[in-house]
Amino acid sequence: MDKRPIGVFDSGLGGLTAVRELRRVLPGETIVYFGDTGRVPYGSRSRDTIIQYAKQDIAFLLSQNVKYIMAACGTVSSILPAEVSGRLPVPYTGVLEAAARAAAKATCIRRIGVIGTAATIRSGSYERLLRALLPDVQVYTRACPMFVPLVENGYLGAGNPITTAIAEEYLAPIRSAGVDTLILGCTHYPLIADVIGKVMGPGVTLIDPGRETADATRTLLAARGLLAEGAGGARYYVSDSIEGFTSTANAFMGRYAGGTVAQIAIDDYELEPQE
Ligand code: DGL
């Protein structure tokens, strides 16, 4: 039993889809969430900038005495080198490994699609993980840079004509490749899973990395004796104004379910070098 909170971060509010899943599988945990709303998006930035931002996000969560950190961001999970996370004082995970494992299990024909931000797709990280799990897998990838702004601006819902038109354009080559499994490689994308599912058709299984990682988190915390069984709760922090947070959080999590919200100065945080 460890009552310290779980730390979760994302470049913005897409990571709240992972918080939704964490609260479902671990209702007794307290979650501290940081959304870097002042610097979103990360996905179009350079590798060095993404690493610098991610280290500051981690430093902030460590200042909150968290027992575990989850990068609920496909972009950070693809880029942050394992050696950095290996030196942290608490367990750390991204959202890639659990998603890749779930996709490898779901595919019957060994043809998997991956969509994500430009940085995630450029990193080739999903292909490497999938090939390690299924050496003869065919992987088809596509960066979908307009999905994040569409989600952040509320262009949600299966019938949304703009999101549907853009999804048709982005997903056409992956659909033609005949995949039976598609990884939603950015934590914003589960919010438009209904549109993506409609475009891809009923024979394609969609993998939500936040959901898969929430399940893996439960297993990890249990194995290390770190589970809490309290009343549960959440504290949210953002790097831009908190205005509108509650309504966005409601839309992203289904229900916001309470929790304090505060703005922090993320530039004040630096990751201390670990020996
Ligand atoms: N939520 C981030 C991810 O999973 C995408 C947003 C961004 O580009 O910052 O990749």
Side-chain angles (χ1 to χ4, degrees), residues 10-11 14 40-44 72-75 117 120 148 185-188:
D10 179 38
S11 55
V40 68
Y42 285 9
S44 51
C73 176
T75 306
T117 64
T120 296
V148 169
C186 167
T187 47
H188 282 72

Side-chain angles (χ1 to χ4, degrees), residues 127-135:
E127 280 127 300
R128 281 193 295 281
L129 280 171
L130 290 167
R131 292 224 165 81
L133 292 164
L134 290 177

